[in-house]
Amino acid sequence: NHLGYSKFGLLESSLGYARKFGRSVSFSLDFHYLFNHVSGYESRHSLTFKSSLWGKVNSKTSFGVSVYNPAHLKYGGLSGELIPVKVHILMVYAINEKVLLIPEVTKTFPGNLDIGINTAISVNDFQISNSLSLKGIGMGLGFFYKQFLFHLDTKYDYRLGISPTVQLSYFLPKSSTL
């Protein structure tokens, strides 16, 4: 994920693992490599992680919480500047088998509060997503191919402008031995 342009930006690469416990609770741990670049300044390389918990309330409703950088790690490892801590709470409500309604709240420390609502519509192997929040609007299109999800997304932040995203996810096959 890259936010910015050639003279200023943040590149973030992630690798994670998720595990389901029982029928309704999941936990994940994601590791993130951050690369900050600003024209005329030395670039910074940083590492952090995110932890999340997901629970299924009933057949139509699920609830999740994630915390990004819960260890309060700093940019560059030794600098005095804290990588922001982000708490993200969301709910997923299945209107039907093809349409999801996703309200969410994100609080960044230090930073702001963002409240929004998203939709995800699935038709066969395609997915269309929309978002509207206090910070911006967005739209995305994705499709599944075997165990891969390809997703293109663009968001318009009211203060910062347009930010496109390209995402590739690979889902491990389910093992019958576990």
Side-chain angles (χ1 to χ4, degrees):
N1 187 8
H2 185 266
L3 176 64
Y5 66 109
S6 62
K7 297 188 184 285
F8 169 82
L10 169 65
L11 173 70
E12 181 174 12
S13 298
S14 304
L15 178 65
Y17 178 76
R19 179 81 180 173
K20 187 174 181 180
F21 298 97
R23 292 184 165 188
S24 60
V25 176
S26 301
F27 173 79
S28 74
L29 185 61
D30 303 320
F31 296 94
H32 301 272
Y33 163 74
L34 309 173
F35 174 68
N36 296 81
H37 62 90
V38 178
S39 181
Y41 293 90
E42 187 175 328
S43 298
R44 292 189 296 192
H45 303 272
S46 309
L47 294 173
T48 189
F49 66 98
K50 174 174 75 172
S51 178
S52 63
L53 185 64
W54 186 258
K56 190 172 183 178
V57 177
N58 58 41
S59 65
K60 290 188 168 266
T61 308
S62 299
F63 183 78
V65 155
S66 70
V67 181
Y68 181 88
N69 193 31
H72 298 265
L73 299 174
K74 297 180 177 168
Y75 284 110
L78 301 174
S79 77
E81 188 180 354
L82 176 70
I83 298 170
V85 175
K86 295 179 188 174
V87 177
H88 185 202
I89 301 168
L90 70 118
M91 183 183 84
V92 174
Y93 177 73
I95 294 173
N96 58 44
E97 290 180 5
K98 297 183 182 204
V99 180
L100 300 177
L101 186 63
I102 308 163
E104 64 182 333
V105 176
T106 304
K107 173 61 180 153
T108 305
F109 301 94
N112 57 16
L113 174 69
D114 190 26
I115 300 170
I117 189 138
N118 306 309
T119 59
I121 302 166
S122 298
V123 179
N124 297 326
D125 288 336
F126 290 93
Q127 185 182 67
I128 300 167
S129 59
N130 297 291
S131 63
L132 175 63
S133 76
L134 297 175
K135 287 181 64 180
I137 58 173
M139 184 174 175
L141 177 64
F143 68 94
F144 287 94
Y145 177 74
K146 296 188 180 183
Q147 291 171 241
F148 290 93
L149 170 63
F150 300 91
H151 194 85
L152 301 172
D153 192 64
T154 186
K155 293 188 177 168
Y156 178 75
D157 186 289
Y158 299 133
R159 294 183 308 161
L160 302 175
I162 293 176
S163 178
T165 301
V166 177
Q167 178 182 348
L168 172 64
S169 299
Y170 176 76
F171 298 92
L172 295 171
K174 291 184 179 183
S175 174
S176 60
T177 60
L178 294 177

